[in-house]
Amino acid sequence: MSLKLSVLDQSPVLPGFTPQDALNQTTELAKFVDKLGYHRFWVSEHHSTKTLAGSAPEILITHLAANTERIRVGTGGILLPHYSSFKVAEMFRVLESLYPGRIDLGIGRAPGGMPGVNYALNKGKYPNVQDYPQQVQELMSYLQGRKHQTYKVKATPLGDTWPPIWMLGSSGTSATLAAQLGASYTFAQFINGEGGTGAMDAYFNCFQPSEYRQEPEGSVAIFVICAPTEKEAEYLAKSLDLQLLRVENGDFRDEYPTPEEAANVTYTYFEEERVRHNRNRMIVGDPVQVRERLEQLAKAYRVNEIIVNTIATSTEKRFESYQLIMDAFQKA
């Protein structure tokens, strides 16, 4: 199998479960896909939400690395404008020392979250995203063990290796910056269903070699729901359709809707159009359909890695989706 398959997990709090259950399910999923042969397992950063439990990915990946054997673990991603580059570098130098060769540092530019979250994370101030390019450069320097020219400090513990930086984005801005700094780049199609191939083209065309990477390395992350039949996959996807629509409308509820609940919702014409539009953010189907569409996606992006994010309100169906996807590629 030439196409690498990886996982992004947002620790969704599924109906009937608690946030603690969600984190335990993330751990079990990491162990499961590790055995299946997935390449990476990334976890996200979300704050003040009742439907996603992962608020501290740098802590969660420490636990995941300790409970897996082979798979790379990382952040998808750290919202860097909220934090000190020095502190982030020290956290990941510790992780790299504990689990050498298995840690990824994915970072994002967008502050993310509701306005109150942004202020709460920054002592009442809104983060200055204009400083992001300088922050990334400082982070890369710290990770490589260099002394800061002004502060005269190094990020410890020092070591011979450092975790690769993946810059995550849903537009062309981060793609261009990743290319200029010689970092790896992931386009989040599960967030933005349009413009991804253009952003990736900009990354490849503008890439400048660095101490981190001599050649460009890209990937794309997308929602995927795979089931034994197309009919079942479409049924399971109804809950994600409704959840995405609710979030867009500012309708933040305590839990994800079930497929049964979503199947009984009557959409307006505008809502039906939004649901159809949001399908650009996901791939839904049986194993053969999903494999073919993932291969087409990789070809369109000119990448050899797809990051899969499956959210279904049944834990068993979530795990089954990842199993079916890997089986489809291994049998192809």
Side-chain angles (χ1 to χ4, degrees):
M1 183 182 70
S2 58
L3 183 62
K4 295 177 183 177
L5 295 176
S6 297
V7 174
L8 170 66
D9 187 58
Q10 296 174 292
S11 302
V13 184
L14 304 179
F17 293 96
T18 67
Q20 183 178 3
D21 293 329
L23 294 176
N24 288 334
Q25 289 164 6
T26 291
T27 303
E28 292 306 310
L29 181 60
K31 292 159 65 175
F32 182 67
V33 298
D34 184 21
K35 294 178 181 178
L36 289 179
Y38 280 82
H39 183 55
R40 307 178 201 275
F41 191 93
W42 285 358
V43 291
S44 59
E45 178 179 343
H46 293 275
H47 300 281
S48 192
T49 171
K50 294 181 178 180
T51 55
L52 300 172
S55 59
E58 68 280 5
I59 294 176
L60 186 52
I61 64 172
T62 306
H63 177 68
L64 297 177
N67 282 274
T68 52
E69 298 177 0
R70 174 203 54 83
I71 197 167
R72 298 188 66 91
V73 295
T75 53
I78 294 287
L79 304 180
L80 190 59
H82 291 308
Y83 310 117
S84 154
S85 295
F86 180 65
K87 180 59 177 176
V88 173
E90 291 209 315
M91 288 190 296
F92 279 81
R93 286 219 60 96
V94 169
L95 285 165
E96 180 68 16
S97 297
L98 292 172
Y99 306 101
R102 290 186 57 205
I103 302 298
D104 294 327
L105 173 51
I107 57 174
R109 173 181 177 272
M114 301 298 290
V117 168
N118 295 316
Y119 291 121
L121 287 170
N122 289 275
K123 300 179 181 180
K125 299 179 181 179
Y126 197 84
N128 184 2
V129 296
Q130 302 303 319
D131 293 338
Y132 183 64
Q134 180 182 348
Q135 270 194 293
V136 178
Q137 289 178 301
E138 287 184 347
L139 178 61
M140 296 175 77
S141 180
Y142 279 134
L143 285 171
Q144 294 172 58
R146 292 177 178 159
K147 181 180 291 187
H148 194 283
Q149 292 184 352
T150 302
Y151 306 137
K152 309 301 181 183
V153 295
K154 293 183 179 181
T156 55
L158 299 176
D160 295 330
T161 63
W162 52 80
I165 285 185
W166 285 81
M167 298 186 67
L168 318 180
S170 56
S171 68
T173 302
S174 291
T176 302
L177 181 60
Q180 292 172 345
L181 299 181
S184 301
Y185 176 68
T186 297
F187 185 83
Q189 186 160 325
F190 72 100
I191 295 176
N192 181 7
E194 298 179 346
T197 55
M200 192 63 70
D201 285 342
Y203 169 70
F204 282 122
N205 294 337
C206 300
F207 183 83
Q208 299 177 20
S210 70
E211 291 186 62
Y212 261 88
R213 294 209 57 80
Q214 289 299 305
E215 300 290 338
E217 180 181 27
S219 64
V220 54
I222 189 167
F223 286 123
V224 181
I225 296 180
C226 186
T229 66
E230 180 183 11
K231 182 178 180 180
E232 182 180 357
E234 286 290 340
Y235 176 70
L236 295 173
K238 289 182 181 297
S239 61
L240 184 56
D241 287 333
L242 180 55
Q243 176 66 11
L244 295 178
L245 182 64
R246 283 177 173 174
V247 171
E248 287 184 346
N249 292 336
D251 183 3
F252 301 103
R253 305 200 182 188
D254 290 354
E255 60 183 25
Y256 282 86
T258 64
E260 294 82 2
E261 177 186 352
N264 291 319
V265 171
T266 300
Y267 293 125
T268 65
Y269 173 78
F270 174 77
E271 289 171 336
E272 288 179 346
E273 287 299 305
R274 288 308 306 167
V275 168
R276 278 194 286 269
H277 180 76
N278 281 333
R279 278 302 181 98
N280 292 326
R281 300 161 61 182
M282 63 180 85
I283 290 175
V284 179
D286 63 34
V288 173
Q289 292 170 324
V290 167
R291 187 196 73 234
E292 290 176 348
R293 291 187 62 188
L294 287 176
E295 289 174 338
Q296 292 168 1
L297 187 71
K299 184 176 180 180
Y301 273 86
R302 296 189 291 154
V303 300
N304 67 351
E305 182 176 357
I306 301 288
I307 302 176
V308 174
N309 182 1
T310 294
I311 296 181
T313 54
S314 163
T315 303
E316 293 75 15
K317 292 302 179 182
R318 285 186 74 215
F319 280 56
E320 181 184 55
S321 179
Y322 288 111
Q323 175 84 63
L324 292 172
I325 295 167
M326 181 58 74
D327 287 348
F329 276 89
Q330 291 178 338
K331 295 176 182 177

